[in-house]
Amino acid sequence: MPKSTVTFMCSECGGESLRWAGQCPHCHAWNTLQEFQVRKAGPGRKQAGAPSPPTGSRPIPLSEIESEAAPRRTLAWGELNRVLGGGVVPGSVVLVGGEPGVGKSTLLMHAAQQVAARGGRVLYASGEESPQQVRMRAARLGPLSSGILLLAETDLDAICEAIRAEAPEMAIVDSIQTVTDAGFEGGAGSVTQVRESAGRFMRLAKEIGVPIFLVGHVTKEGAIAGPRVLEHIVDTVLYLEGDRRQELRILRAMKNRFGSAEEIGVFAMGEAGLEEVPDPSAALLANAALTAPGTAVVVVLEGTRPLLIEVQSLVMIIAVLEKRASTKLERSDIFVNVAGGIRITEPAADLGLALSIYSNTRDSPLPDGLVAIGELGLAGEVRRVGQLDRRLQEAARHGLTRALIPAGSKAGRPAGLDVVEVRTLAEAISAAFSSPMKSGAFIREAEASVT
Ligand code: TYD
Ligand code: MG
């Protein structure tokens, strides 16, 4: 056993502590601190984690350094290339995180098939599933290729040796939480094992120029070390998100040493695996129940991409009569659903959501072709949002005909889109409904703020 010192590391956020505690002092998660061995950097042995420069390195004038050592290799899917920053960078280590079952293995098998389809070789090390299971999945996705080499292995040394020996165009390790280094204590998935393995893969990738993709499961329990423990080590961190019961999957760049960390790629999970969705707004609006009460369309920005999204609300009125009489939302339970399982965090969706709820309480749908853009202040004022031009263009491109925007916003007027500026929620309701109902909580709240 090598000499080591011990600290404690949170399996959720990767924060380090010198002492054990029941609660992580960094992210405040409970029972997530795990013993973490820091191997002493002895002679001939580099410290875990940090990528080491090749031995015998010397300082080089900046002007003599080649701009990009090796060009990126693009995959068949533009959605994947976009999130990677334009393609796969040789020698990079990419962590693909996500909850179990979201589609990480499927996504990476697609990538492997795309590399193999143009004659490249891929090494797929699987510690999660048997070779038969991996073969079955691959067969669902496309023709089986001899260019994909499967290695059923969890031993770190054995995987590294195989990558070195095969020198493939791409290597995939599924998952990092199954890999163990026999030289370290702690079972598979412990922070020590996960970090040591990732550090080794980093050094190997840099040394031989092979890009390595690591799958990392996100768990809520903290029983195994989550991907965040590795975020500082690897070059690129991508998270695959989506509701398992729905089709849409979003691959989100959280960190990228080789590109923007704001990009997203959109995919749909179907019978034959994933498909890329180059025009997500169209897909998101395709099944929209736009003529039903409680539905509104908003435009949110994901990185640089505007997405048209349908928000729905359901207002469960405790006393139906009360609903007919006036709008007393304090007596109601309100359920909000965002189409496609997308998480909206942007305040620009506020106005759409408020209109959706109002439309519900009035039991009448919002007009066809309407999109609502704006943040709501507590006094009912509609506040300006960023990148309005981009949002309006996306709405116009998808055939929406009327946009409510915050008053005073500077934006062009795309052809075919009737743009209406609104100052308050009350104005927005008047603009949205031809015969506005001058009662109800929103109206009263909004009118109070109108000067
Ligand atoms: P998987 O890639 O195994 O998820 P992860 O590696 O993130 O754990 O995907 C598993 C889910 O995807 C599973 O619920 C079944 C579904 N799926 C399909 O719907 N269609 C398909 O063609 C494939 C391969 C998987
Ligand atoms: Mg998997």
Side-chain angles (χ1 to χ4, degrees):
M1 195 70 13
K3 264 188 136 180
S4 67
T5 55
V6 166
T7 63
F8 295 89
M9 183 171 285
C10 173
S11 61
E12 283 293 307
C13 72
E16 272 184 72
S17 315
L18 289 176
R19 250 171 246 103
W20 188 87
Q23 188 181 27
C24 170
H26 305 281
C27 73
H28 307 297
W30 286 96
N31 298 320
T32 53
L33 291 196
Q34 288 186 13
E35 205 173 285
F36 174 56
Q37 300 173 39
V38 185
R39 200 189 299 226
K40 290 239 174 76
R45 177 97 201 182
K46 297 276 175 5
Q47 180 107 19
S52 53
T55 42
S57 55
R58 57 179 180 87
I60 314 169
L62 261 183
S63 55
E64 284 174 28
I65 297 172
E66 288 171 42
S67 61
E68 198 160 17
R72 290 168 189 268
R73 305 204 188 102
T74 52
L75 298 161
W77 280 345
E79 290 294 301
L80 204 45
N81 293 328
R82 176 210 303 273
V83 183
L84 288 167
V88 182
V89 175
S92 64
V93 171
V94 180
L95 177 68
V96 178
E99 289 182 7
V102 73
K104 302 178 295 296
S105 304
T106 306
L107 180 73
L108 290 176
M109 185 52 84
H110 277 294
Q113 289 187 340
Q114 289 168 16
V115 171
R118 48 147 208 257
R121 280 184 326 136
V122 180
L123 183 82
Y124 195 119
S126 175
E128 296 262 330
E129 294 159 309
S130 70
Q132 288 70 31
Q133 282 172 308
V134 178
R135 180 190 193 279
M136 245 165 57
R137 176 186 300 103
R140 268 176 89 171
L141 311 185
L144 291 175
S145 163
S146 58
I148 301 177
L149 308 169
L150 186 74
L151 179 70
E153 184 59 77
T154 56
D155 181 66
L156 178 63
D157 290 330
I159 297 171
C160 287
E161 249 167 62
I163 295 175
R164 192 184 286 279
E166 297 293 340
E169 192 175 310
M170 177 195 281
I172 295 165
V173 178
D174 189 357
S175 67
I176 187 72
Q177 284 124 340
T178 60
V179 177
T180 51
D181 179 344
F184 276 93
E185 280 171 10
S190 65
V191 285
T192 304
Q193 291 288 1
V194 163
R195 282 180 67 104
E196 171 64 13
S197 305
R200 282 272 290 284
F201 287 128
M202 267 305 266
R203 292 194 292 276
L204 179 64
K206 301 286 172 279
E207 189 190 326
I208 63 177
V210 172
I212 303 179
F213 284 73
L214 308 175
V215 168
H217 291 299
V218 175
T219 56
K220 298 213 167 65
E221 300 75 40
I224 57 171
R228 294 200 58 194
V229 169
L230 301 180
E231 276 177 5
H232 307 295
I233 300 178
V234 300
D235 296 307
T236 301
V237 179
L238 311 178
Y239 277 97
L240 189 61
E241 301 170 354
D243 185 337
R244 282 182 63 170
R245 293 156 300 176
Q246 302 209 35
E247 275 192 340
L248 226 58
R249 299 287 181 278
I250 293 188
L251 186 64
R252 194 183 292 276
M254 302 294 284
K255 162 183 174 177
N256 197 348
R257 285 190 182 140
F258 307 113
S260 160
E262 294 235 298
E263 288 300 342
I264 63 159
V266 184
F267 304 88
M269 179 70 87
E271 279 305 298
L274 292 161
E275 268 176 35
E276 63 173 340
V277 182
D279 190 352
S281 292
L284 286 167
L285 287 186
N287 319 319
L290 293 179
T291 51
T295 299
V297 177
V298 300
V299 199
V300 296
L301 280 180
E302 286 283 4
T304 58
R305 291 177 96 178
L307 295 182
L308 285 173
I309 297 179
E310 171 202 5
V311 293
Q312 290 175 320
S313 61
L314 180 65
V315 178
M316 309 275 277
I317 306 292
I318 293 166
V320 179
L321 271 178
E322 205 173 54
K323 173 175 179 174
R324 301 289 166 211
S326 73
T327 314
K328 285 190 183 142
L329 291 171
E330 62 272 21
R331 299 281 305 271
S332 313
D333 292 329
I334 300 175
F335 298 85
V336 174
N337 176 47
V338 178
I342 289 186
R343 269 187 302 147
I344 299 184
T345 50
E346 250 209 319
D350 288 357
L351 182 61
L353 181 58
L355 287 178
S356 143
I357 295 172
Y358 180 79
S359 133
N360 236 319
T361 62
R362 228 184 84 136
D363 202 17
S364 83
L366 285 159
D368 236 8
L370 180 83
V371 61
I373 304 167
E375 178 181 351
L376 275 188
L378 286 180
E381 78 276 19
V382 179
R383 298 192 174 169
R384 281 178 238 175
V385 301
Q387 317 228 34
L388 190 59
D389 274 317
R390 204 174 252 162
R391 300 177 204 258
L392 290 175
Q393 277 156 22
E394 182 73 356
R397 199 165 72 80
H398 288 275
L400 295 175
T401 50
R402 193 144 202 246
L404 304 183
I405 66 166
S409 305
K410 289 192 181 49
R413 302 283 189 265
L417 195 64
D418 173 23
V419 178
V420 183
E421 296 193 20
V422 291
R423 282 178 303 154
T424 61
L425 181 57
E427 283 187 21
I429 289 172
S430 297
F433 295 93
S434 42
S435 54
M437 194 172 78
K438 282 285 179 188
S439 66
F442 281 132
I443 296 282
R444 282 196 300 277
E445 177 188 285
E447 273 176 351
S449 75
V450 179
T451 47

